[in-house]
Amino acid sequence: MKLVLLSGGSGKRLWPLSNDARSKQFLKVLENDEHELVSMVQRVWGQIVANGLAESSFIATSKSQIEIMQSQIGMEIPLIIEPERRDTFAAIALATTYLYSHVGVGLDEVVCVLPVDPFVENHFFNVVKRLEDVLDHSNAELALIGVKPTYPSSKYGYIIPLESQHNIGDLERTDYLEVSHFLEKPTEETAKRLITQNAFWNCGVFAYKLSYIIDLLESRGLPIQYEGMIQKYQTLPKISFDYEVVEKATRIAVVPYDGYWKDLGTWNTLTEEMQHRQIGRGIISDDCENTHLINEIDIPVSVVGLSNIVVAASPDGILVTDKSASPRIKDFINFNQGPMYEERQWGWIRILDDQTYDDGRCVITKRIGIGEGKNISYRMHSNREEVWTIVKGEGEFIQNGNFMRVKAGNVLHLPMKTLHSIRALSDLEIIVVQSGVEHERNQLIELYQTWGEMAEHCIKM
């Protein structure tokens, strides 16, 4: 069985820590067994490795998430890159054609799709492994995982089994049930009734034989080769796989999971799984109950006398919200700015200041960190000049082929159209002041990615 993890998201639900380049699954606010802060994607990838599924796993993600994904879980994981975001139907269609034409997966083999950020116990993946056998023995087109509800939630979709199966006693020992229909986000009263009918929460995990989706794509005149799907990608409908495929299927099986599962999609649910109520500089007074502070900036934040709230601060902004109101954040995030914090394969970038003056001159001040042994690409800016002040560490610097050692205290001037790169001999931090004229569109041109390529082609010793 091949496993495809879907990694998407617009970065609005956990703003200001999440943004277009760092959506919720990359926020390092959870704690692992070694008491280190990890992200949701790091946590679930650790579970996949522990359950022996890593060798057959792929991650479908967007161009904007490539570097942060590689930074957090490594360079070896095969990525299926979406040309643009078009919801889960398009992403799964693309992943299916990739497995079929690039990997050589057979039409009778099973593919299992799941979100990249489920907060589950380890034995959840034992249920994932069972989906393959269920498809082989049930004659179903799709096999889903249904979470046994712990309360009548109105936030989740529900999977309702056929009525003839409602009285099955021990669902955990039942291989699968046949699905009658689905209901998305019912009222709490309706949810209570559904639970009496052995309905399950839909956790977005489903499996299919490769031939099922390949046949579906062919019936719609869509490409079944990966290169062809890439070219047609922008024409695919922006719709979820649930609506476009799952709810139209005629034979669906659901495998019960009776264990812990939670969607950490809001500040309210995420803080319930945080081990500490404060991350970063600041203070929460003792009379605050159920209050969390997450601060990624260097300015201390104090919370006094306020309960049941979340205060989150990052270079992208500051949020103060009642926990019960936190799901509404996405309706208010429409600020016209790019990401102010990004993780890269080599380190991170934090925007400190971004100004445009009356004469049209624009100036961006950044603080960047480059991890020991890492380097940025050999590059140049077409219409921006930069001044670098190294504030921490030592490194090797190339400018138009000229090599030099640099360290904290050095100031470097990079005129427009100057090829340059730097490698960190120890953890480096640099203040970068980039300037130019706003209406002159800047283009970043990159020649080489690895230091070995630069040493071979660029350095004049």
Side-chain angles (χ1 to χ4, degrees):
M1 182 171 69
K2 302 297 185 229
L3 208 61
V4 176
L5 291 89
L6 299 182
S7 177
S10 60
K12 292 184 177 181
R13 293 203 289 171
L14 292 175
W15 185 90
L17 267 63
S18 63
N19 56 38
D20 190 55
R22 182 177 63 155
S23 45
K24 66 172 184 175
Q25 60 266 31
F26 300 109
L27 304 182
K28 294 182 180 179
V29 295
L30 304 174
E31 196 171 281
N32 64 13
D33 293 338
E34 286 74 43
H35 306 293
E36 300 167 325
L37 289 179
V38 296
S39 67
M40 302 179 207
V41 70
Q42 288 174 316
R43 184 180 186 275
V44 78
W45 187 255
Q47 291 176 308
I48 285 171
V49 171
N51 283 274
L53 294 168
E55 292 291 322
S56 55
S57 293
F58 302 77
I59 298 178
T61 189
S62 62
K63 290 180 180 179
S64 63
Q65 293 184 358
I66 295 173
E67 289 201 48
I68 190 170
M69 186 71 75
Q70 292 175 334
S71 170
Q72 292 203 357
I73 61 174
M75 300 286 291
E76 300 78 22
I77 292 85
L79 303 180
I80 303 169
I81 309 303
E82 304 165 54
E84 59 181 81
R85 289 189 179 131
R86 298 198 72 81
D87 217 320
T88 54
F89 169 70
I92 292 168
L94 182 69
T96 302
T97 60
Y98 180 89
L99 295 175
Y100 177 62
S101 62
H102 261 232
V103 183
V105 174
L107 290 173
D108 287 333
E109 291 189 57
V110 172
V111 178
C112 178
V113 178
L114 73 159
V116 78
D117 56 357
F119 193 86
V120 292
E121 298 168 309
N122 274 337
H123 75 270
F124 177 84
F125 291 94
N126 292 330
V127 182
V128 170
K129 294 175 183 178
R130 286 165 50 194
L131 294 177
E132 186 171 19
D133 286 338
V134 168
L135 277 178
D136 285 338
H137 295 98
S138 67
N139 198 34
E141 297 165 322
L142 295 165
L144 317 181
I145 291 180
V147 177
K148 193 172 182 180
T150 53
Y151 67 99
S153 172
S154 60
K155 297 183 297 183
Y156 303 136
Y158 284 74
I159 303 169
I160 298 93
L162 289 174
E163 290 185 13
S164 59
Q165 303 165 108
H166 285 171
N167 296 321
I168 293 176
D170 188 358
L171 290 176
E172 186 60 29
R173 294 189 316 194
T174 305
D175 284 335
Y176 65 90
L177 302 173
E178 293 182 59
V179 173
S180 169
H181 60 284
F182 302 87
L183 191 60
E184 186 69 19
K185 297 180 180 178
T187 64
E188 286 192 17
E189 285 301 314
T190 302
K192 288 179 183 177
R193 177 174 55 80
L194 293 175
I195 290 175
T196 66
Q197 299 172 345
N198 285 335
F200 302 98
W201 286 337
N202 187 350
C203 63
V205 177
F206 35 81
Y208 54 87
K209 290 194 175 181
L210 192 77
S211 59
Y212 178 65
I213 299 300
I214 292 295
D215 290 346
L216 183 147
L217 296 177
E218 284 190 310
S219 70
R220 299 186 181 189
L222 293 171
I224 60 173
Q225 300 293 320
Y226 176 70
E227 289 78 8
M229 183 60 76
I230 286 284
Q231 294 176 2
K232 286 273 191 179
Y233 201 73
Q234 63 182 357
T235 68
L236 297 181
K238 285 188 175 182
I239 191 169
S240 74
F241 189 81
D242 291 83
Y243 288 141
E244 187 69 4
V245 177
V246 178
E247 296 192 8
K248 296 177 181 178
T250 56
R251 300 184 310 278
I252 307 175
V254 57
V255 180
Y257 166 67
D258 189 2
Y260 196 78
W261 172 86
K262 184 179 283 188
D263 175 14
L264 304 186
T266 67
W267 279 115
N268 195 9
T269 55
L270 180 61
T271 53
E272 289 175 355
E273 301 304 331
M274 289 173 54
Q275 299 297 313
H276 305 285
R277 67 175 188 162
Q278 179 179 329
I279 297 174
R281 294 184 67 189
I283 190 171
I284 303 174
S285 65
D286 291 338
D287 57 344
C288 297
E289 295 182 4
N290 191 31
T291 287
H292 284 77
L293 167 64
I294 303 96
N295 183 10
E296 288 192 335
I297 59 179
D298 294 328
I299 301 171
V301 175
S302 298
V303 185
V304 180
L306 295 172
S307 298
N308 303 309
I309 70 164
V310 174
V311 179
S314 85
D316 282 75
I318 297 171
L319 170 73
V320 182
T321 178
D322 184 278
K323 287 191 174 183
S324 63
S326 64
R328 295 163 49 202
I329 292 170
K330 63 181 184 299
D331 300 326
F332 295 90
I333 306 308
N334 56 2
F335 304 119
N336 185 24
Q337 66 178 29
M340 305 295 279
Y341 178 85
E342 297 182 61
E343 279 187 41
R344 297 290 179 86
Q345 176 186 327
W346 42 261
W348 49 266
I349 300 173
R350 178 172 293 169
I351 305 295
L352 303 178
D353 189 60
D354 188 350
Q355 297 289 335
T356 301
Y357 297 96
D358 292 341
D359 62 358
R361 190 164 183 79
C362 57
V363 179
I364 300 175
T365 304
K366 313 174 187 179
R367 189 182 190 104
I368 72 170
I370 304 173
E372 181 178 343
K374 302 290 184 66
N375 64 273
I376 63 173
S377 62
Y378 195 51
R379 58 178 63 183
M380 72 176 182
H381 294 279
S382 64
N383 286 296
R384 297 291 185 270
E385 65 176 343
E386 294 184 334
V387 175
W388 291 9
T389 302
I390 298 174
V391 295
K392 176 186 176 183
E394 297 186 19
E396 297 174 315
F397 176 70
I398 311 173
Q399 183 172 344
N400 283 340
N402 296 303
F403 172 86
M404 64 184 291
R405 293 284 289 266
V406 293
K407 61 182 180 179
N410 291 157
V411 178
L412 308 169
H413 179 222
L414 284 69
M416 297 179 189
K417 299 182 175 66
T418 299
L419 286 164
H420 62 277
S421 180
I422 192 167
R423 178 171 71 160
L425 297 177
S426 60
D427 287 349
L428 269 177
E429 289 191 19
I430 307 170
I431 303 297
V432 176
V433 180
Q434 185 185 87
S435 59
V437 179
E438 184 183 30
H439 73 266
E440 294 178 349
R441 180 176 172 271
N442 184 51
Q443 185 177 6
L444 177 65
I445 300 166
E446 298 178 292
L447 295 187
Y448 302 111
Q449 294 294 329
T450 70
W451 194 256
E453 291 174 314
M454 293 177 233
E456 181 181 354
H457 298 290
C458 309
I459 297 178
K460 303 172 185 175
M461 300 298 289

